[in-house]
Amino acid sequence: MKALLTIMSKDLRVIGRDRAALLFLVLVPFVVVTVLVQSLAGSDTGSLLLPVVNEDQGPVAEVLIETLSEYAKVVEVDRAKAEDLVAERKVAPAAIVVPAHTTKRYLTNRPSTLLLLTDPAKGAAVRAVQAYMLLADRKAAEIADPLFERLIVMKEVNLTGSRTSIPPAEQNVPGFSVMFVTMGVLFGVAFGLHQEREWGAITRLRLAPIPRVSILSGKLLARYLIGLVQLVLLFIYGHFAFGLSLGTAPLALGLVMAGVVFCITGFSLLVSSFARTREQVVPLGLTVIMIVCALGGCWWPLYHMPPWLQQVAQLSFTTWAMEGIHDVILRDRGTLSILPGLGVLLAYGTVCLAIGARLYRLDAT
Amino acid sequence: MWLCRTALAVGLALAPTMLRAATSDEAVGAVKKTLGAVLSVVNADGTRNEKLRSLRTLARKILDTHAMGRSAMGAVLEAQPPEQQQEYLELFDQLMVRTYLQKLLLFRRPRFAYGTPLQKGAGVIVRTKIITSNDEYLVAYEMRKDERDWRATDVIVEGISLTRNYREQFASLLRDRSFEELLDLMRRKTRRLREEPM
């Protein structure tokens, strides 16, 4: 145990001396997370372009446009321009035509047919526009029909937390934080072990009366602590900079973070064990990181992926990491509720560690 | 003598026309006064709730909602006990006032114009237009004088009578519901409307 701690503190000192590596670990993720969160903040449906052809020019069309503007970026254009935006330039998923005399028909309780010009290739966005139309139509129907009775009233009740809407930062900050911690730990572990092996430090350690498991554990523990600190700092930054919720159970969040970084560390050893040379580390590491981050919902929500891919994603630790983090910060789950997911992360990390330790040869050259 | 007889004959012949003109002017004046007051309330300072309260008072002054309610329900109402008739008329008043104000308030900054009034039996049809920058919307008030004031017994928007619209809805509902069920529907509707802003 003493040897493990000594190796860990030695590694921390070595890492501390490498200013460039520290800069990468501390500064770069913050800058990139800031840029990405800001650029992806507009990817929710609020920035969806919705051309409206207002042939009515009456107050009902104004009410419709006002209602739709709450959900999408509405631009009033003529019919030709609307068709161009949807069909030719493909920048809008759909356009709405409010026909002439809609207001007069509304005032006399006669129905009007609004035209929805769509680009079926943008399926999800078109469905969003259709939903907005229903909302706007309901609002307008209440205006027109004095006895209009809403027998089915829509009231949103969030069963998994206290909020009814989740800002994009709640997806992006945890996702990119997990990605950067994975990069930091994986490359740290892989390069660290290869470097020491090449410099002969491992051989010297192996000659000392220190068990092999202590050498490896000490090195991994150093990387684990750095990864954990990095993840905590990124979440604190996300909280203050982007209003990221930290949930209602700090202990649960702490446990999930610890579990996530443990899993990342185990996974990093496993991947490192496949890289036989330093040159193999970067392509192998980058490929694996890109795949697990894309698959595990670090870059976009899992529900954006096809169902079969969502099933495949269960094999990636990032899926469990994101699920655990979301359980705490979005669904306000407590410590007991996150234990099953935490168990999966710990088991995943342990299996990776065991396989990685078995495959990794400390004295290989 | 001949001159006096001629003057009397002309006077008697013109009297109904002059009387009708005076009557029409009174009816138009009543509508103008109300719509002017509506504009003043809309443009005045005050909270939305304060404005709505004032607008409801103005609407009740010009709209004879009891006459409209009786006309909309027809003979079915007469067959009901007095307390149910009273409750129906109160609920109808709330719905009609809301409907009228909703249609009026759909226009952000309306400008009103007045056409030539038409005599219709003992009443007068006051023709108005709501003018916006892009279009005009016809709203006619069927006015009758009660004991003191001229009040609308129907409002016709773009050729469609609000009272007739209610009558058709009631007739449709009463085909498969009882009067009590219709009353319950109106109760629920007005209760919900009280909870929601207009």
Side-chain angles (χ1 to χ4, degrees), chain A residues 7-29:
Chain A
I7 288 169
M8 181 199 76
S9 58
K10 189 272 295 176
D11 267 38
L12 286 175
R13 277 201 305 278
V14 170
I15 294 161
R17 276 191 226 120
D18 188 346
R19 299 289 162 87
L22 268 182
L23 191 74
F24 168 77
L25 276 173
V26 179
L27 196 62
V28 174

Side-chain angles (χ1 to χ4, degrees), chain A residues 178-226:
Chain A
V178 167
M179 184 187 81
F180 275 111
V181 172
T182 307
M183 285 174 94
V185 175
L186 195 150
F187 288 126
V189 168
F191 282 126
L193 290 174
H194 276 285
Q195 230 162 21
E196 299 244 9
R197 199 158 59 186
E198 283 167 13
W199 292 345
I202 291 281
T203 312
R204 287 196 295 278
L205 283 171
R206 289 279 284 148
L207 291 173
I210 302 170
R212 180 178 177 271
V213 69
S214 294
I215 299 171
L216 208 51
S217 302
K219 294 192 161 298
L220 292 177
L221 195 55
R223 290 293 167 182
Y224 171 81
L225 288 176
I226 292 167

Side-chain angles (χ1 to χ4, degrees), chain A residues 57-60 62-63 66 101 103-104 106-109 142-151, chain B residues 95 99 102-103 106-108 134-137 157-158 160 165-166 169-170 173 185 188-189 192 196:
Chain A
Q57 294 292 328
V60 167
E62 281 172 24
V63 170
E66 202 175 283
H101 308 305
T103 294
K104 289 191 175 178
Y106 249 112
L107 285 171
T108 53
N109 289 6
E142 281 190 82
I143 292 170
D145 184 355
L147 269 183
F148 177 79
E149 180 73 358
R150 272 192 294 172
L151 293 173
Chain B
L95 289 174
T99 305
Q102 267 179 337
K103 289 192 191 298
L106 191 60
F107 301 88
R108 296 280 157 85
N134 301 303
D135 212 341
E136 294 179 353
Y137 303 88
V157 182
E158 283 289 325
I160 304 286
N165 180 34
Y166 269 109
Q169 286 194 64
F170 289 154
L173 288 165
L185 179 66
R188 276 188 282 135
K189 177 76 183 173
R192 196 170 61 75
E196 285 182 5

